[in-house]
Amino acid sequence: MSEGILSLTINGEAHRLVSAGHRTLLEVLREDVGLTGTKHGCELGECGACTVLADGVPMLSCLTLAARVGDAEVTTVEGLALGGSLHPLQAAFAELGAAQCGYCTPGMLMTAKALLDTEPDPSREQIKQALAGNLCRCTGYLKILDAVDAAAARIR
Amino acid sequence: MKDYAVVGRREPRVDATAQVTGRTTYAGDITLPGMLAGGLLQSSQAHALIVHIDSAAARDLPGVHAVITGADLPVPYGILPVSQD
C-alpha cells in the first residue's frame, strides 16, 4: 500500500509522519512515535491492552487504522500524568496493588479515565461494565475495581 | 493484635510507578539495531511423532535468515525435564 503523510495529535503534541496506509494506530504509536506504553496484546479486539482515547473515547488502537484517526486528539498512558504528578487513577492503581505484571494496566487506566470523565461517581456495576473489555490475567479484578473506586472518590 | 512495622501494612511496590506510567519495558517493547523478527509455526497435529520437518522452501524465501527446528537443538522439544526422558 502506498505511503502518505500522516498528521496526528498525540498527548497534545502534533506529529507528522510518513506512514503506509495499512498501518494501525497501535503500530504507529509504538514503532513510529516510540510510545510503547500502549500494549500489543491479542490484536483481535478481545483484550483491551491497546486501548487509547480518541477525543476522550476509548478506542482499540490495534483495530484502528492510523489514517482513520483524523483530527481526533489521541491520549495514551504516557499522556495521563498531569504535569509532574500521577493522575489519581495512576496513583490509586499503584497504591492499591491493582497492577501485577502491569501489561493490562495502560489499557485499564485509559478505559477507566473515559469512565470517570463522563461519570464521576460510578457504581461498582458501572465500573465493571466499563472495564468489561479489558482483560487482566494476573491480579484478578477486585483490586482494579477498588482502585477505580478510590480514584473516583479522590477526584470528586 | 500487635502493631507490626511491616506485617499488615501496605507497601508500595517498587515497580508500581513505572507500570502505571507505561514506562515498564517488556520484551516486545525493545528495539535493537539489526534486530530480526521471528515467528513460531506450531504443529498441525495435537499429538504425533515428528519424523521429519522439511524447511527448505522457508529457508529459501528472501529475507529469511534462519529456520530453526528441534533438529537444531540439543533438546528437541519441551522445557520440563520430564518431557526430556
Side-chain angles (χ1 to χ4, degrees):
Chain A
M1 205 173 285
S2 66
E3 294 197 331
I5 302 286
L6 188 63
S7 296
L8 289 174
T9 308
I10 304 162
N11 301 330
E13 246 176 68
H15 292 262
R16 273 171 70 81
L17 308 150
V18 177
S19 183
H22 67 268
R23 285 171 70 75
T24 64
L25 179 60
L26 178 68
E27 289 172 317
V28 169
L29 287 172
R30 291 177 52 86
E31 297 166 19
D32 298 348
V33 187
L35 294 174
T36 55
T38 303
K39 292 298 168 226
H40 185 165
C42 67
E43 224 176 295
L44 296 167
E46 288 175 5
C47 77
C50 69
T51 307
V52 300
L53 303 183
D55 284 338
V57 179
M59 170 191 259
L60 295 169
S61 63
C62 80
L63 297 183
T64 306
L65 292 178
R68 294 291 301 274
V69 175
D71 296 331
E73 176 95 22
V74 177
T75 309
T76 71
V77 69
E78 289 93 341
L80 198 50
L82 314 157
S85 55
L86 296 179
H87 185 280
L89 276 164
Q90 293 173 305
F93 268 63
E95 284 165 31
L96 301 181
Q100 188 171 318
C101 87
Y103 204 80
C104 72
T105 307
M108 291 281 180
L109 288 168
M110 301 321 287
T111 307
K113 176 175 163 43
L115 170 68
L116 299 191
D117 285 349
T118 51
E119 175 52 80
D121 191 8
S123 66
R124 193 74 163 187
E125 202 51 42
Q126 283 175 305
I127 299 173
K128 284 187 192 173
Q129 284 286 334
L131 292 176
N134 291 81
L135 302 186
C136 165
R137 294 284 89 132
C138 52
T139 69
Y141 297 93
L142 287 180
K143 290 177 175 181
I144 294 169
L145 301 175
D146 288 345
V148 176
D149 220 12
R154 284 182 207 179
I155 295 169
R156 289 195 303 271
Chain B
M1 198 180 119
K2 192 175 181 313
D3 203 14
Y4 293 102
V6 176
V7 175
R9 291 184 189 276
R10 196 188 289 285
E11 281 297 315
R13 298 230 327 258
V14 291
D15 49 356
T17 305
Q19 288 176 337
V20 300
T21 50
R23 283 187 284 109
T24 302
T25 305
Y26 298 85
D29 299 330
I30 299 169
T31 310
L32 296 171
M35 193 166 85
L36 301 176
L40 290 176
L41 180 63
Q42 296 186 303
S43 174
S44 56
Q45 304 298 318
H47 187 84
L49 181 69
I50 300 169
V51 179
H52 175 66
I53 297 174
D54 183 1
S55 58
R59 233 174 269 267
D60 288 344
L61 288 171
V64 172
H65 287 250
V67 179
I68 299 165
T69 69
D72 298 303
L73 306 172
V75 177
Y77 57 84
I79 55 168
L80 300 174
V82 67
S83 65
Q84 293 162 18
D85 286 343

